[in-house]
Amino acid sequence: MNKIVEKIQLSQDVYRMTFEAPLIAEARRAGQFLILQLDSNFGERIPLTIADADQEKGLITIIFQAVGKTTLKLSELSVGDKIENVLGPLGTPTVIEKKGTVVCVGGGIGVAPMHPIVQAYKQAGNKVITIMGARNKELLIMEEEMNRWSDELIICTDDGSYGRKGLVTEPLKELCEKGLVDEVVAIGPPIMMKFCALTTKPFGVHTMVSLNTIMVDGTGMCGGCRVNVGGETKFVCVDGPEFDGHKVDFDNMMLRLQSYKKQEQQANHRCNLDKIK
C-alpha cells in the first residue's frame, strides 16, 4: 500500500498528491510515468506522469486533474489514505544531454511532467527557457518550481490575466526566429503539442513531445496506446511517452482519444449520482 502524506488543491480541479513509493522514487528518471489503481477488484488503471520524487524519503509526487471517474475518486482521498496499486516507473526516460539552449513548453496540466525534465536539462548544463501556458491565471501551476530551475520563464494566458496574452507558440516562434533554440520539449494538450511542432519545423529545431494516450496495461501488450510516428506504429507505454513531434500523426491520435468518450461520460454521470445519494 502507498500511503498519502500530502494533498494540496492547486486550482478548481487540479491536485498535487505525494505518497510513499520508495522503489519508484529510487528508480524513476525524468520523463517516466506510473500507473495506479485505486481498487484492484473493479478499479480502472490510469497512467499519471511523475511530477517530482524524493529518493531519500521514498516519496513520489503526482499532479492530476479530476476529470474522470477515477481521478475524481482519487481527489476524494485524504492524507493517511492508501492507494492500493502503483506500478512504475514506466516508459522510456527523457534523453538528457547538453544541447545548449533548451526551450521547455508546458501547457495546462502538462507543466507537471515538464518539471523533472526542466530540472534534468538544467543539471546537465543547459540554458533552459521555460514557456508556461494556461487559459487564465487561476489555472497556472508550479510557477515557483519552474522559475527555480529556469534561466528564463515566460508565462502566457489566453485571457491575458497574467503574463503575456496569447498562445505559447508565439514566444516559441520568436525564440526560433532569433536562432536561440537548440532543442524543444513540449508537453500539454495534443492540439498544443501539434502546433508547437508545426512552429519549430520550419526552423529545423528538434522537438520532442510527451504523449498521453489511452492506456491499459502499460507494458505494450494491449495496443491501446498505439500511435503513428513517422509512418510506423509505436506504443506510447514502452516506446514513449516521448517522440519526435515532427513525426507524430496528431490528428490520428486525437481521433483515437475520443474512442471511449461516451463511456467516460456515462461513468462520470454515475459517479456524480453516487455522490448525491
Side-chain angles (χ1 to χ4, degrees), residues 42-196:
F42 305 103
E44 175 188 25
R45 304 169 81 252
I46 60 169
L48 292 170
T49 44
I50 300 170
D52 207 352
D54 188 323
Q55 187 173 342
E56 291 185 3
K57 295 181 180 179
L59 301 176
I60 284 291
T61 297
I62 57 174
I63 294 179
F64 63 94
Q65 188 172 11
V67 292
K69 178 181 178 181
T70 300
T71 47
L72 284 168
K73 286 186 174 297
L74 180 62
S75 70
E76 293 170 357
L77 297 181
S78 303
V79 172
D81 290 338
K82 296 179 180 179
I83 301 172
E84 190 163 333
N85 296 310
V86 181
L87 174 66
L90 299 171
T92 303
T94 306
V95 177
I96 302 294
E97 299 174 342
K98 189 169 183 180
K99 297 282 187 175
T101 298
V102 180
V103 177
C104 296
V105 188
I109 199 73
V111 172
M114 184 64 81
H115 178 240
I117 294 173
V118 168
Q119 280 183 311
Y121 270 116
K122 184 59 182 174
Q123 290 171 338
N126 294 282
K127 178 181 179 181
V128 178
I129 301 174
T130 301
I131 304 173
M132 291 170 50
R135 293 197 305 274
N136 55 57
K137 181 179 180 179
E138 287 68 34
L139 296 177
L140 283 167
I141 62 172
M142 301 188 77
E143 178 183 353
E144 182 180 339
E145 292 90 338
M146 298 299 267
N147 190 48
R148 185 182 306 132
W149 290 100
S150 304
D151 294 279
E152 182 180 353
L153 178 63
I154 302 170
I155 296 176
C156 302
T157 52
D158 294 354
D159 64 357
S161 56
Y162 193 58
R164 59 184 284 179
K165 183 177 181 179
L167 303 176
V168 293
T169 50
E170 295 169 12
L172 176 61
K173 183 180 180 181
E174 292 166 7
L175 291 169
C176 288
E177 288 174 336
K178 294 176 182 177
L180 299 178
V181 185
D182 298 297
E183 177 91 352
V184 169
V185 184
I187 307 179
I191 192 68
M192 185 214 84
M193 293 188 288
K194 174 183 177 179
F195 279 95
C196 282

Side-chain angles (χ1 to χ4, degrees), residues 16-29:
R16 177 189 181 107
M17 184 175 285
T18 301
F19 56 86
E20 297 173 348
L23 295 180
I24 298 176
E26 182 179 0
R28 71 97 201 192
R29 291 168 61 191

Side-chain angles (χ1 to χ4, degrees), residues 212-248:
N212 188 10
T213 55
I214 293 170
M215 197 175 294
V216 181
D217 67 281
T219 63
M221 293 191 295
C222 74
C225 66
R226 65 185 181 274
V227 290
N228 188 307
V229 181
E232 298 181 359
T233 298
K234 298 290 183 180
F235 299 110
V236 172
C237 65
V238 290
D239 298 318
E242 295 180 3
F243 297 95
D244 186 333
H246 298 154
K247 297 180 179 180
V248 174

